[in-house]
């Protein structure tokens, strides 16, 4: 079980490389009730001025959330209590995305860790950036 | 004595950043071998925090903290160094349609310097505005290296430097703690105050420095199976 004592400023989460396919993007959009063309249909997305379909923001948020919760582990003792994101560049499927994070500061009294997180494309452009807070029980 | 400063940073005082100044300075201490900064300049969006006092943090971490501002003009975003009461009376920094030429000229008269930032960025950068309107007069320097630039943006900024003879600076434009100091400016002279900074910026004796890590090519990952 991960405890607050295990956490050090500068520790990294990832990098995790994951290929996200168009099919996964469409499945997510449809199951999340987001059947807009920009998430499901290349031609429709291009009519909106996009290069093709893009990941819904909530899908990027979910994938970043997984980066943090995988790091925490699933045996109790800590939980993610906040995750906020800034969408800088549309995230396109059919690419290998890199998910990464850094522990940037901690608060001893509250046993919390603050984490920078982001998604990069193959060219190391940061597409989505954010911060997360993890609360430890002990 | 040379001084290396990150000239473009945003702390949690800016609405789109959650980075505390203390965490920035601690990160600089931890990463000093990779990003050898002597200090940072906080350039909060559309504001100047005249009452902020970071002296105790400077003493604790041995890193200088200077204050400036990033404002919005009809030629894109501009960093204002040497902000003083005269400037704050003359300009409403919260106004997102400041006149760039007026700002550049007046700030110099009032003892400061205005430096267009991320000039290669669409919509908010000088490059795109220069394609539609005459170039600004009396620009001394522009930000050529920006830690948040997308592919091609720094190259467009460098083209402005070549075309118009501007001096070039660098800054991280960090909104996250771990991105502090990715780009910076190395000054030939010693800088210990905002007045020193303005003097050195006017001298032209500096260069942008790039501390961004060179990442290996990303391996092609396998698709995660979904049901």
């Amino acid at each position: 079980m991960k405890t607050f004592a295990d956490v050090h400023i500068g520790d990294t989460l990832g990098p995790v490389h994951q290929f996200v396919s168009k099919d996964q993007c469409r499945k997510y959009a449809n199951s999340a009730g987001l059947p807009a063309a920009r998430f499901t249909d290349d031609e429709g997305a291009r009519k909106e001025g996009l290069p093709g379909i893009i990941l819904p923001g909530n899908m990027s948020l979910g994938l970043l959330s997984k980066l943090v919760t995988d790091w925490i582990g699933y045996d109790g003792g800590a939980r993610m209590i906040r995750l906020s994101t800034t969408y800088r560049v549309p995230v396109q499927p059919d690419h290998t995305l890199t998910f990464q994070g850094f522990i940037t500061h901690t608060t001893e009294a509250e046993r919390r860790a603050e984490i920078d997180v982001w998604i990069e494309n193959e060219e190391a452009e940061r597409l989505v950036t954010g911060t997360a807070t993890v609360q430890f029980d002990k | 004595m040379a001084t290396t400063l990150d000239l473009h940073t945003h702390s949690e005082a800016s609405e789109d950043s959650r980075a505390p100044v203390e965490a920035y300075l601690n990160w600089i201490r931890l990463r000093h071998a990779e990003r050898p900064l002597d200090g940072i300049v906080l350039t909060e969006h559309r504001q100047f925090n005249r009452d902020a006092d970071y002296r105790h943090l400077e003493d604790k971490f041995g890193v200088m903290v200077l204050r400036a501002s990033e404002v919005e003009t009809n030629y894109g975003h501009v960093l204002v160094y040497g902000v003083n009461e005269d400037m704050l009376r003359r300009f409403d920094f919260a106004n997102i349609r400041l006149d760039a030429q007026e700002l550049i000229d007046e700030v110099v008269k009032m003892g400061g310097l205005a430096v267009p930032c991320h000039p290669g960025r669409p919509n908010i950068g000088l490059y795109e505005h220069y394609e539609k309107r005459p170039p600004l007069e009396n620009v001394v320097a522009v930000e050529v290296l920006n830690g948040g630039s997308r592919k091609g943006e720094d190259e467009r900024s460098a083209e402005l430097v070549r075309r118009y003879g501007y001096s070039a600076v660098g800054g991280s434009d960090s909104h996250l703690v771990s991105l502090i100091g990715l780009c910076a400016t190395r000054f030939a002279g010693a800088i210990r105050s905002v007045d020193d900074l303005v003097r050195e910026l006017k001298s032209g004796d500096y260069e942008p420095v790039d501390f961004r890590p060179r990442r290996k090519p990303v391996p092609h990952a396998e698709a995660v199976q979904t049901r």
Side-chain angles (χ1 to χ4, degrees):
Chain A
M1 183 194 302
K2 199 182 289 292
T3 69
F4 186 68
D6 299 326
V7 177
H8 302 98
I9 295 170
D11 286 355
T12 57
L13 282 66
V16 172
H17 307 294
Q18 184 176 336
F19 182 88
V20 179
S21 70
K22 283 184 181 173
D23 190 45
Q24 288 173 312
C25 183
R26 289 190 192 97
K27 280 181 179 171
Y28 179 93
N30 287 322
S31 61
L34 299 164
R38 72 179 75 101
F39 305 133
T40 57
D41 171 54
D42 275 328
E43 195 51 41
R46 280 192 278 271
K47 282 180 184 165
E48 292 187 42
L50 295 163
I53 67 171
I54 60 171
L55 268 65
N58 279 354
M59 187 172 180
S60 294
L61 190 73
L63 291 165
L64 276 176
S65 174
K66 185 175 183 302
L67 174 77
V68 178
T69 51
D70 282 353
W71 173 78
I72 293 171
Y74 296 90
D75 49 3
R79 60 202 173 280
M80 186 174 71
I81 59 171
R82 186 193 59 80
L83 174 63
S84 69
T85 44
T86 301
Y87 298 92
R88 297 162 50 88
V89 182
V91 183
Q92 296 176 255
D94 273 1
H95 286 275
T96 298
L97 303 174
T98 298
F99 302 83
Q100 191 164 14
F102 285 101
I103 310 295
T104 58
H105 50 298
T106 56
T107 49
E108 192 84 33
E110 296 170 298
R111 287 194 302 276
R112 286 181 180 175
E114 300 293 330
I115 309 169
D116 285 355
V117 290
W118 63 78
I119 304 174
E120 289 182 0
N121 62 14
E122 292 96 334
E123 296 180 321
E125 286 184 312
R126 286 185 294 276
L127 312 174
V128 180
T129 62
T131 56
T133 305
V134 171
Q135 171 78 59
F136 292 84
D137 291 336
K138 61 182 180 181
Chain B
M1 191 187 95
T3 311
T4 303
L5 298 178
D6 184 342
L7 293 182
H8 187 173
T9 71
H10 298 279
S11 79
E12 56 196 346
S14 290
E15 77 285 352
D16 55 353
S17 170
R18 280 184 57 87
V21 175
E22 181 165 8
Y24 268 148
L25 302 190
N26 192 37
W27 197 263
I28 291 167
R29 187 178 59 83
L30 287 169
R31 293 285 196 268
H32 196 262
E34 304 151 33
R35 306 174 199 176
L37 298 181
D38 297 301
I40 63 173
V41 184
L42 295 167
T43 52
E44 312 296 1
H45 290 293
R46 300 178 299 281
Q47 60 184 296
F48 180 72
N49 298 328
R50 71 181 88 182
D51 299 324
D53 185 352
Y54 301 107
R55 275 175 295 188
H56 67 293
L57 294 177
E58 291 179 305
D59 292 342
K60 182 177 175 182
F61 294 101
V63 178
M64 181 168 36
V65 181
L66 302 177
R67 286 169 293 145
S69 186
E70 180 176 354
V71 299
E72 298 178 25
T73 76
N74 57 339
Y75 273 77
H77 292 193
V78 175
L79 301 168
V80 181
Y81 300 103
V83 177
N84 57 33
E85 290 301 323
D86 288 343
M87 291 176 206
L88 295 171
R89 272 194 295 273
R90 176 70 180 76
F91 295 103
D92 174 8
F93 278 16
N95 176 5
I96 59 170
R97 291 185 180 83
L98 289 169
D99 185 276
Q101 190 63 68
E102 201 176 324
L103 181 83
I104 287 165
D105 294 342
E106 291 292 303
V107 161
V108 169
K109 282 183 198 163
M110 293 172 181
L113 195 73
V115 175
C117 53
H118 40 65
R121 193 162 298 172
N123 302 318
I124 57 173
L126 210 57
Y127 188 94
E128 201 169 286
H129 289 281
Y130 275 14
E131 291 181 330
K132 302 167 195 161
R133 285 179 288 166
L136 294 167
E137 293 176 8
N138 304 320
V139 173
V140 170
V142 295
E143 185 187 61
V144 164
L145 293 183
N146 178 289
S149 284
R150 295 194 68 190
K151 198 175 177 182
E153 290 179 3
D154 286 348
E155 287 78 0
R156 281 197 291 272
S157 303
E159 191 183 323
L160 289 182
V161 166
R162 281 192 299 274
R163 196 182 297 170
Y164 297 100
Y166 301 147
S167 295
V169 301
S172 67
D173 199 359
S174 59
H175 290 70
L176 297 180
V177 172
S178 57
L179 303 181
I180 191 80
L182 286 179
C183 298
T185 306
R186 186 182 293 126
F187 294 88
I191 294 174
R192 294 192 183 82
S193 67
V194 168
D195 288 342
D196 291 345
L197 172 60
V198 171
R199 183 197 65 229
E200 290 300 313
L201 280 170
K202 288 177 178 173
S203 78
D205 198 1
Y206 47 84
E207 60 179 356
V209 283
D210 195 344
F211 297 126
R212 287 174 285 196
R214 295 286 166 262
R215 203 179 70 176
K216 291 177 187 167
V218 174
H220 180 78
E222 295 302 315
V224 173
Q225 294 302 312
T226 53
R227 282 176 290 169

